[in-house]
Amino acid sequence: MKAVIQRVSKASVTIEEKKVASIQNGLLILLGIVDEDTLDDIKWLSNKIINLRIFGDEQDVMNKSLLDINEDVIVVSQFTLHANTKKGNRPSYIKAAKPDVAIPMYEAFVKQVEADLGKPVQTGQFGADMKVELLNDGPVTIIIDTKNKG
């Protein structure tokens, strides 16, 4: 499971000209799932993200987590995070989980983040053609792969 976490001043998801998610301050999480991902990966990744100290404290030092500041989250499924670009110029997405595996894992991840955060999170729509708009704050962008827990 891969996640691209972006600290945002604002973010939104639009599908067919209808805004389905919108936040002011918080995190936009792009999530890519593979067949080998497990519920343990979901729990670990959710815990890691909500505890990342990437928000400024009183001295504007990145010392606060999402839990500390109680900001909002949007989670968007993005299979292209598992693109393989080794051969040619057309990426291969063979490693990305198919919908029958990815949808339940995506939904479980959203529920886990909500449970860990103690409030609802907003989402895109799995498989939809989404327009994701964001204002990256910092910029702060963190990439986490559960295969590299180390």
Side-chain angles (χ1 to χ4, degrees), residues 49 73 98 108 115 126 136 141:
I49 291 171
V73 174
K98 303 293 184 263
F126 190 95
N136 192 315
T141 301

Side-chain angles (χ1 to χ4, degrees), residues 26-73:
L27 296 179
L28 172 66
I29 302 169
L30 306 174
L31 183 70
I33 299 164
V34 295
D35 288 335
E36 298 80 30
D37 289 330
T38 66
L39 293 178
D40 286 339
D41 290 321
I42 288 171
K43 290 176 186 174
W44 181 88
L45 184 58
S46 174
N47 183 63
K48 180 62 101 174
I49 291 171
I50 67 165
N51 286 292
L52 278 176
R53 296 182 345 180
I54 58 173
F55 293 93
D57 63 13
E58 296 73 23
Q59 287 77 42
D60 207 26
V61 176
M62 288 195 288
N63 268 330
K64 293 195 174 192
S65 71
L66 195 58
L67 284 175
D68 296 326
I69 63 166
N70 195 32
E71 296 292 357
D72 294 318
V73 174

Side-chain angles (χ1 to χ4, degrees), residues 9-117:
S9 296
K10 66 180 179 177
S12 64
V13 178
T14 303
I15 301 170
E16 295 179 2
E17 298 184 32
K18 181 182 176 204
K19 196 170 283 191
V20 298
S22 179
I23 64 171
Q24 287 304 308
N25 295 301
L27 296 179
L28 172 66
I29 302 169
L30 306 174
L31 183 70
I33 299 164
V34 295
D35 288 335
E36 298 80 30
D37 289 330
T38 66
L39 293 178
D40 286 339
D41 290 321
I42 288 171
K43 290 176 186 174
W44 181 88
L45 184 58
S46 174
N47 183 63
K48 180 62 101 174
I49 291 171
I50 67 165
N51 286 292
L52 278 176
R53 296 182 345 180
I54 58 173
F55 293 93
D57 63 13
E58 296 73 23
Q59 287 77 42
D60 207 26
V61 176
M62 288 195 288
N63 268 330
K64 293 195 174 192
S65 71
L66 195 58
L67 284 175
D68 296 326
I69 63 166
N70 195 32
E71 296 292 357
D72 294 318
V73 174
I74 296 179
V75 180
V76 175
S77 176
Q78 189 166 351
F79 73 93
T80 60
L81 294 180
H82 290 287
N84 183 332
T85 58
K86 285 185 181 180
K87 292 184 181 179
N89 293 317
R90 183 176 181 179
S92 168
Y93 304 107
I94 194 125
K95 290 186 106 182
K98 303 293 184 263
D100 63 320
V101 171
I103 291 172
M105 293 294 283
Y106 171 73
E107 291 172 350
F109 178 79
V110 169
K111 285 181 180 158
Q112 185 68 53
V113 173
E114 289 177 333
D116 291 344
L117 198 52

